[in-house]
Amino acid sequence: MISLPQAPGHAALPHVLVVDDDPTIRELVCDYLGKNELRVSAVADGPAMQLVLGEQVVDLVVLDLRLRGEDGMALARRLRDESEIPIVMLTGRSEEADRVMGLELGADDYLTKPFSPRELLARIRTVLRRRRAEVRQGKPEGIRAYRFDGWELNLNSRRLAAPDGRTVALSNGEFSLLVVLLGAPDRILSRDQLLDLSRLHNDEVYNRSIDVQILRLRRKIERDPAEPRYIKTERGAGYLFGVAVETVY
């Protein structure tokens, strides 16, 4: 798998997964997209694609429909059956039937080979903008991740990525509380509310442990736990998550 060096705040960038069995194309696309405010991974086949999707949050897949020894159309069908992740297809110039079938399967756009990396970037940006508009309208279902201030919490793998790319380990209780807080930014939640809501994700959270779990979370994500920027205490009321949160579907 090709992936770019991790820069500060990389977890907040949209993550594009390129699936193409041509190593030259993978390197070219990774290099160009990575220089234009995208986080990029590139793999050669379906099993590697599934591995990345299982471990990381992917915002868009660029998929070659003519993979050697593998049916890219079947991968597109499986991807659409399992998720709402946008797909930009890569096809041969003469393969009109593939383009039609791919669009019917739910692909969001296509590009014919050979293609300009600049045009691919423009199409990716257009699809991502359209997806963000759909999210604001409440159309997608199934939250895959939350992002805030360069951090990313993957709800499927339960993986918390720091702005520098490090994985920060969370206990079950810490993960459950963070999910609840990120789901209600700028809203004061009492200890009882945090207890009730976090039990939906983990039945091992107890009333008196809320303050302890909050303290541990602060130590892991706050630059200065004594002066928290993210998880703020509202005296006599509860806790509030104090920065903007992006929801990834």
Side-chain angles (χ1 to χ4, degrees):
M1 180 181 76
I2 300 175
S3 57
L4 294 174
Q6 296 172 348
H10 92 291
L13 298 175
H15 185 190
V16 174
L17 173 61
V18 179
V19 185
D20 196 302
D21 54 14
D22 186 329
T24 302
I25 289 180
R26 293 199 302 273
E27 185 174 356
L28 172 68
V29 172
C30 261
D31 183 62
Y32 188 82
L33 298 184
K35 292 177 180 177
N36 286 276
E37 299 183 333
L38 291 171
R39 183 166 35 127
V40 192
S41 301
V43 298
D45 53 33
M49 178 187 83
Q50 291 300 126
L51 185 63
V52 174
L53 291 173
E55 293 180 348
Q56 302 183 45
V57 177
V58 173
D59 295 86
L60 182 144
V61 173
V62 176
L63 175 63
D64 183 4
L65 294 187
R66 291 287 182 176
L67 298 171
R68 296 186 192 95
E70 194 160 15
D71 186 356
M73 202 70 72
L75 294 181
R77 183 180 295 108
R78 185 194 317 160
L79 188 60
R80 185 48 67 242
D81 287 344
E82 295 175 353
S83 75
E84 294 294 326
I85 299 173
I87 303 171
V88 174
M89 303 179 301
L90 300 179
T91 71
R93 188 169 297 279
S94 62
E95 297 161 355
E96 182 180 356
D98 282 357
R99 294 196 292 275
V100 172
M101 186 175 295
L103 292 170
E104 288 178 346
L105 286 174
D108 297 82
D109 203 349
Y110 71 88
L111 202 57
T112 55
K113 293 182 174 181
F115 59 87
S116 158
R118 183 177 180 181
E119 183 179 1
L120 175 61
L121 174 63
R123 291 180 182 272
I124 287 172
R125 285 175 169 169
T126 297
V127 172
L128 290 175
R129 280 197 301 269
R130 189 161 66 233
R131 171 46 57 97
R132 283 192 288 269
E134 291 174 353
V135 169
R136 286 194 296 270
Q137 294 169 15
K139 290 182 180 178
E141 295 181 1
I143 298 172
R144 293 187 290 123
Y146 290 111
R147 290 179 181 144
F148 64 96
D149 199 31
W151 293 80
E152 179 181 270
L153 181 65
N154 186 330
L155 301 192
N156 293 326
S157 65
R158 303 169 73 92
R159 176 178 176 268
L160 177 64
D164 61 4
R166 292 177 300 109
T167 296
V168 178
L170 297 176
S171 69
N172 288 338
E174 291 163 358
F175 170 80
S176 300
L177 280 177
L178 187 55
V179 169
V180 173
L181 289 164
L182 294 177
D186 290 321
R187 174 181 159 196
I188 299 173
L189 297 174
S190 69
R191 287 174 177 79
D192 286 341
Q193 286 176 311
L194 287 171
L195 177 64
D196 291 340
L197 292 170
S198 59
R199 277 177 173 162
L200 297 174
H201 305 278
N202 171 28
D203 59 8
E204 296 179 3
V205 178
Y206 304 101
N207 193 20
R208 294 309 303 166
S209 73
I210 293 292
D211 294 334
V212 175
Q213 302 285 5
I214 291 289
L215 178 61
R216 290 174 177 168
L217 265 179
R218 283 174 172 165
R219 288 172 177 167
K220 292 181 177 181
I221 68 174
E222 299 280 5
R223 181 170 298 178
D224 181 2
E227 295 289 338
R229 178 167 174 250
Y230 302 138
I231 307 174
K232 299 182 178 181
T233 301
E234 297 293 326
R235 292 194 178 279
Y239 296 97
L240 173 147
F241 199 84
V243 299
V245 177
E246 176 191 358
T247 303
V248 183
Y249 289 90

